[in-house]
Amino acid sequence: MSEDLPLENPQRRLNAPAPATTPEDENEDKGQGWLLRILLGWHASFTMMGVVLEVLLWAAAAPWYAHLVLYGLAAAYVTLGGPALAGAKPPRAGHLFLACAYAGTILLTAVDDRTPVALYLLLPITFALLAPIGLAVGACAAVTLVTDALYLDHHGFSARAIGETALQNATTWLFALLVGYFVTQLLDENRRRGELIRQLEESRALLHSAYHEAGVTAERHRLAQEIHDTIGQGLTSTLMLIRAADAAAHHDPDRVRERLALAEKTVSENLAEARAVVTATGPLHLRSAPLDTAIENLTARLGDELGISAEAHITGRPLPLDATLQVVLLRCAQEALANVRKHARARRVRVQLSYHPQTALLEITDDGRGFDAEQVQGFGLRGMRSRAEQVNGAVSVVSRPGEGTRVTVEVAWER
């Protein structure tokens, strides 16, 4: 086995199905739809509040700059506040919107004392856009106190005006705390969800890349194994036949013609095997004959090439083995016989395929020079074990220097 290339163990071929849509993906889509509906509700609320404030300004015959301030606030919400709520812009965009909104609300309150109604929306959005919570509470308290002072300046610091201000503050803050907390939690959850989705997409990309690399590696091993089991063995056999013909060229013309005819047949078969490997149509021997006959033909061919006794025996009732099991047994037989051809220098080879109730057993025995099975592990033997493992089978090799070799391949089958 020392002439075999020390390649890596062939791995099982991996299928890489495209990631399917999972219930988690559907839940994520539903969550995004829910957030979109909430944001649309906020947009609608700010639109209605803008209309209410515009009506109040017209009713109070407010100066032109008050309307301009209101339109500026609407533009700030469209360009800064709304996108910041949706996460489309960074937090500083939301902070800039809040600064504009506070200044605008204070200015409008100075013109019309009914415009502090805007605090019903301004305070909740403060909790959503400003962090930490202590800073949001401080900002809300500051704008509330300023608008209260402007309101009391219009109405005087009477008990009635103070009571109205206190009642308005209580309802505004209660609404702001409830809605602001809800919106804050929703946005935080959306940010966490977005981060998880990003990580999931990265993981999927890495997994897809890993599947691709595994598939490429598995296919490379498959091709290496097929080439070794077919073309490589065929070339070795052809080389030995040509050498035998050359050795007999001067004293046995009939043997030369016989060896060359076998070499020509071997080359033709290996050319067909190479085409089969490329087109993935399966082993040539199994396309033209059942497994039993294919193994008998391989054994007889070895005997003809080496001029030794080579016998194949089929025992038991043949089982309806599927194509995969047949390929494994055939390739293992080819590899074991190729090792006999290259290394054993045997005078007698026996191949036996035994069918048992639940298993099929293939044994290849020769009386050659043998080897140390514990020390020698070439690509061929590793390939046999890999093929057998793919169908939950097993390969055992018993050999000692000078005592021949016995290779056993056992595979299970299902009715």
Side-chain angles (χ1 to χ4, degrees):
M1 306 301 293
S2 59
E3 297 179 8
D4 292 329
L5 297 177
L7 302 179
E8 297 178 357
N9 286 335
Q11 300 178 1
R12 299 184 181 183
R13 190 177 305 180
L14 298 178
N15 295 323
T21 301
T22 62
E24 288 78 5
D25 297 329
E26 296 177 358
N27 291 336
E28 289 172 1
D29 293 339
K30 292 178 181 178
Q32 293 297 316
W34 184 37
L35 175 64
L36 179 60
R37 288 191 291 270
I38 294 296
L39 291 175
L40 289 177
W42 272 102
H43 300 336
S45 299
F46 271 89
T47 301
M48 294 177 59
M49 181 60 68
V51 173
V52 170
L53 293 176
E54 178 67 12
V55 170
L56 292 176
L57 292 177
W58 280 108
W64 62 270
Y65 59 83
H67 299 278
L68 185 60
V69 169
L70 182 60
Y71 298 149
L73 291 179
Y77 180 78
V78 171
T79 58
L80 298 173
L85 274 176
K89 286 196 173 184
R92 62 176 177 271
H95 301 163
L96 182 58
F97 164 74
L98 289 177
C100 296
Y102 288 171
T105 301
I106 293 172
L107 182 58
L108 292 178
T109 304
V111 175
D112 185 349
D113 59 3
R114 293 171 295 180
T115 53
V117 69
L119 294 179
Y120 278 100
L121 289 181
L122 184 57
L123 298 189
I125 200 174
T126 300
F127 286 101
L129 295 179
L130 201 57
I133 188 67
L135 181 60
V137 171
C140 290
V143 72
T144 302
L145 292 175
V146 173
T147 54
D148 287 349
L150 293 173
Y151 180 83
L152 293 175
D153 183 62
H154 281 282
H155 296 274
F157 291 85
S158 62
R160 179 178 179 181
I162 294 175
E164 291 176 351
T165 302
L167 179 61
Q168 181 177 346
N169 287 344
T171 57
T172 302
W173 273 81
L174 179 61
F175 179 80
L177 291 174
L178 293 177
V179 176
Y181 176 79
F182 171 76
V183 173
T184 300
Q185 293 300 311
L186 178 63
L187 292 176
D188 288 344
E189 177 63 23
N190 180 65
R191 295 187 187 100
R192 287 193 294 268
R193 190 186 299 274
E195 179 64 20
L196 290 175
I197 292 174
R198 184 188 63 80
Q199 294 176 1
L200 177 61
E201 290 175 347
E202 291 179 355
S203 299
R204 283 179 173 175
L206 292 174
L207 184 61
H208 176 74
S209 177
Y211 272 127
H212 176 73
E213 292 297 330
V216 170
T217 301
E219 184 64 12
R220 185 182 297 117
H221 282 300
R222 184 190 73 83
L223 288 175
Q225 198 171 38
E226 290 291 334
I227 291 173
H228 176 274
D229 291 346
T230 57
I231 301 173
Q233 294 173 2
L235 291 175
T236 302
S237 176
T238 303
L239 180 61
M240 295 180 67
L241 289 170
I242 293 174
R243 287 175 176 174
D246 181 66
H250 300 291
H251 63 275
D252 194 348
D254 291 338
R255 183 171 178 81
V256 171
R257 285 191 291 270
E258 178 189 353
R259 298 293 96 180
L260 290 178
L262 282 174
E264 180 182 4
K265 185 177 181 181
T266 301
V267 171
S268 298
E269 289 181 354
N270 274 265
L271 180 59
E273 286 282 7
R275 291 169 178 165
V277 169
V278 172
T279 58
T281 56
L284 175 66
H285 296 283
L286 292 181
R287 297 211 310 271
S288 58
L291 176 64
D292 302 348
T293 304
I295 289 180
E296 290 173 346
N297 292 339
L298 288 173
T299 307
R301 172 69 60 79
L302 179 72
D304 292 339
E305 292 178 3
L306 301 181
I308 63 175
S309 173
E311 301 176 349
H313 300 275
I314 311 299
T315 62
R317 183 178 179 181
L319 301 175
L321 301 177
D322 62 33
T324 302
L325 292 179
Q326 292 187 51
V327 170
V328 169
L329 291 173
L330 178 65
R331 293 305 191 204
C332 288
Q334 285 179 313
E335 176 60 30
L337 293 178
N339 288 335
V340 172
R341 179 185 295 110
K342 291 185 290 185
H343 309 296
R345 298 179 184 175
R347 296 183 301 274
R348 182 181 180 84
V349 178
R350 175 184 174 85
V351 180
Q352 180 167 323
L353 177 61
S354 305
Y355 292 103
H356 300 285
Q358 298 296 329
T359 61
L361 187 67
L362 176 67
E363 291 183 328
I364 301 94
T365 307
D366 69 74
D367 61 352
R369 60 180 181 174
F371 62 96
D372 188 345
E374 298 295 329
Q375 298 295 326
V376 180
Q377 294 292 327
F379 178 69
L381 287 179
R382 292 200 299 269
M384 292 172 63
R385 289 194 171 95
S386 176
R387 285 186 182 276
E389 289 172 359
Q390 291 176 8
V391 294
N392 296 321
V395 174
S396 66
V397 179
V398 178
S399 183
R400 292 186 181 87
E403 298 184 10
T405 302
R406 183 174 74 251
V407 178
T408 304
V409 182
E410 185 176 17
V411 298
W413 69 288
E414 297 181 0
R415 295 181 182 273

